Amino acid sequence: MIELFKDRRQRHLREMAKYLRLVFNDFFVFALLFFLGGLAYGYSNLLKTLTAGLWWAPLVALIVLTVAVQFGRFATLIEDADRVFLLPKERAMHAYLVTARRYSLWLAQATQIIVLFIMTPFLRVTLSWSLTAVLGLAITQVLLKDTLLRLDLASAYQVTGQRRMNHWTVKWGVSLIVLAVGLWLNPFGAAGLALIADVAVAVWLRQHWQVQQIRWREQITSEDNRMLGIYRFFNLFTDVPMVSGTIHRRHYLDGLLRRIPVQHDYAYLYLYSRGMLRGTEFSGLVVRLTVIGMLLLAFIQGQWLPVILTALFIYLIGFQLLPFFQQYDDIVFTHVYPLTWEQRLQSFVTLVTVILSTTAILLWLVVVAANRQLMPAGVTLVVAAVEVWYLARVYTPQRLKRAAKNKG
């Protein structure tokens, strides 16, 4: 069973490496460096304005650390067919699950250390903590994450009449109690509580796993949801076949469709607009990127960094909209429309123009609210307008014409 997990882990890592190469391209890495540099600069300036004894400082640290300790899910790599083909090996699956927990632990603990490293200046300035106290909190965070992953492992087994031990109320409740003790009382006392909880779960698991059945359905669903979250992140940057959209009837958006003239030439514009508003794959991508961009720009100040980030998000959205042009190629009825390919292209260009213009306006408003200076607001507006025009009116038609020529 251990060898089975190792084989799946290697296959999984190869797949992740393939997508990571597409995500972290030169342009994105360059923009990411600017973003992290601006974030670090803003964080350092914020620390200069803080003083010791702030009543809300422990509360902020509690929220940040509690959220951070939830990062890093139990990666079992279990597949849907396992509940049939591995059912005779259910007792041997314990070694598989233990190996999976150890694999999940490395990335999860690295995340906790990074968060504590970032929070250290804040704790030293606002709480006047020594490095020894910060070290005690770091030990608490590491032990607490180990406890939560052990709860995930224990919940893989079914106990009659008992709730899952990794229910969100349990995980969040334990995290809040232990970290509150560490922040308001003693960090090493909190480390002791986390250690006791970790040992208690380990003892319970040792006593029960041999006589319990595995929750196959729950584990398969949990792993599918975990991978779906990863694929959705990759889908922000490239096309991922594993992510499929769903259809929702959104009555409240019908007013937008009424603005499209009921004329022969606008048939494809109505079809594309309807598909964009009712589907979740592309509309969700546009909404997620826009919201992420607005949140980042809300905390970014400066002359050029907001301009670069605005241009980056407009480019990402415009680039990701291109595959939507072929969304209805597999529907035979669209090929009998008495419309030319140029009319279809013009309708798609109009849709892209509207989407990018709306996104650019929202991002620009956030830049204006966050900076309140004429220079970055004016430059951002000019750059966004030029980029929207180029992406929608120049780049998109040329790219789609080239793709159609190569396909034909």
Side-chain angles (χ1 to χ4, degrees):
M1 285 299 172
I2 296 178
E3 293 300 323
L4 174 63
F5 179 82
K6 290 181 178 179
D7 292 339
R8 291 184 175 180
R9 181 184 60 189
Q10 292 177 358
R11 184 179 61 193
H12 172 73
L13 292 177
R14 285 196 298 266
E15 184 181 23
M16 294 300 101
K18 178 185 68 175
Y19 284 113
L20 287 174
R21 285 196 298 267
L22 298 175
V23 171
F24 291 96
N25 52 56
D26 294 340
F27 185 78
F28 180 73
V29 170
F30 182 71
L32 189 62
L33 290 176
F34 270 93
F35 167 70
L36 293 178
L39 203 62
Y41 179 73
Y43 184 49
S44 63
N45 289 336
L46 176 64
L47 291 176
K48 294 176 183 178
T49 64
L50 300 178
T51 57
L54 296 173
W55 66 269
W56 49 263
L59 185 60
V60 172
L62 177 64
I63 295 174
V64 172
L65 295 178
T66 302
V67 173
V69 81
Q70 310 303 320
F71 291 165
R73 299 176 62 180
F74 186 30
T76 60
L77 305 182
I78 287 180
E79 301 175 359
D80 187 47
D82 291 347
R83 59 182 173 180
V84 176
F85 294 101
L86 294 183
L87 186 60
K89 293 285 188 179
E90 190 167 17
R91 295 278 72 85
M93 278 294 294
H94 184 70
Y96 177 99
L97 295 173
V98 170
T99 307
R101 195 192 82 90
R102 291 172 182 169
Y103 165 71
S104 307
L105 197 61
W106 289 103
L107 183 59
Q109 298 293 28
T111 304
Q112 308 310 311
I113 297 300
I114 293 173
V115 172
L116 256 299
F117 178 79
I118 296 173
M119 288 292 297
T120 297
F122 178 81
L123 295 173
R124 288 177 61 83
V125 170
T126 59
L127 301 181
S128 301
W129 275 19
S130 63
L131 289 177
T132 304
V134 175
L135 178 61
L137 190 62
I139 296 173
T140 301
Q141 194 80 356
V142 170
L143 289 174
L144 191 56
K145 187 59 196 178
D146 188 77
T147 304
L148 298 187
L149 283 177
R150 203 177 295 277
L151 284 173
D152 290 333
L153 175 59
S155 295
Y157 293 93
Q158 184 172 359
V159 179
T160 304
Q162 178 178 309
R163 298 177 67 184
R164 292 184 295 110
M165 296 180 66
N166 67 340
H167 193 268
W168 69 269
T169 55
V170 176
K171 299 177 76 171
W172 283 83
V174 171
S175 303
L176 286 171
I177 293 173
V178 172
L179 290 173
V181 171
L183 290 168
W184 273 278
L185 297 179
N186 187 288
F188 287 99
L193 288 178
L195 180 60
I196 292 173
D198 199 12
V199 172
V201 178
V203 171
W204 182 94
L205 181 62
R206 181 176 299 177
Q207 293 175 350
H208 290 81
W209 76 266
Q210 294 182 352
V211 294
Q212 302 299 333
Q213 296 179 340
I214 295 178
R215 302 174 187 261
W216 287 103
R217 293 183 181 274
E218 288 81 356
Q219 291 304 304
I220 293 171
T221 301
S222 177
E223 180 63 18
D224 289 343
N225 292 335
R226 188 187 73 86
M227 291 303 303
L228 182 60
I230 296 175
Y231 289 140
R232 282 177 174 171
F233 170 75
F234 291 151
N235 197 53
L236 296 175
F237 304 91
T238 184
D239 185 29
V240 179
M242 284 69 70
V243 178
S244 59
T246 56
I247 301 299
H248 294 284
R249 180 68 175 95
R250 299 185 171 102
H251 297 277
Y252 53 88
L253 296 177
D254 288 346
L256 298 176
L257 296 175
R258 296 191 188 102
R259 298 177 178 272
I260 301 176
V262 186
Q263 297 178 12
H264 175 78
D265 295 340
Y266 296 95
Y268 263 109
L269 179 59
Y270 184 87
L271 177 63
Y272 281 130
S273 301
R274 189 85 174 184
M276 180 63 66
L277 294 179
R278 296 188 65 181
T280 59
E281 183 178 358
F282 287 93
S283 61
L285 183 147
V286 172
V287 171
R288 287 194 298 270
L289 281 177
T290 303
V291 172
I292 292 173
M294 294 173 66
L295 290 176
L296 292 179
L297 289 172
F299 297 98
I300 296 297
Q301 296 182 354
Q303 296 292 331
W304 296 106
L305 189 57
V307 179
I308 295 173
L309 286 178
T310 301
L312 171 64
F313 278 95
I314 293 175
Y315 165 78
L316 289 176
I317 294 174
F319 183 78
Q320 293 298 323
L321 286 175
L322 292 177
F324 190 63
F325 183 74
Q326 290 88 20
Q327 181 76 3
Y328 303 103
D329 284 356
D330 294 334
I331 300 178
V332 66
F333 299 104
T334 61
H335 297 281
V336 299
Y337 283 0
L339 295 168
T340 64
W341 190 88
E342 286 73 17
Q343 289 175 308
R344 175 187 174 189
L345 176 62
Q346 183 59 40
S347 297
F348 184 76
V349 168
T350 302
L351 177 67
V352 173
T353 304
V354 172
I355 293 175
L356 293 184
S357 299
T358 304
T359 300
I361 292 173
L362 292 175
L363 295 176
W364 177 74
L365 290 175
V366 176
V367 172
V368 172
N371 290 268
R372 298 181 182 179
Q373 296 181 11
L374 182 61
M375 178 66 178
V379 174
T380 301
L381 181 61
V382 173
V383 171
V386 173
E387 186 177 18
V388 169
W389 170 81
Y390 177 77
L391 284 176
R393 299 291 176 174
V394 179
Y395 177 77
T396 297
Q398 291 180 353
R399 177 72 178 268
L400 294 178
K401 288 178 181 178
R402 192 183 309 117
K405 184 178 179 180
N406 294 335
K407 185 179 180 179

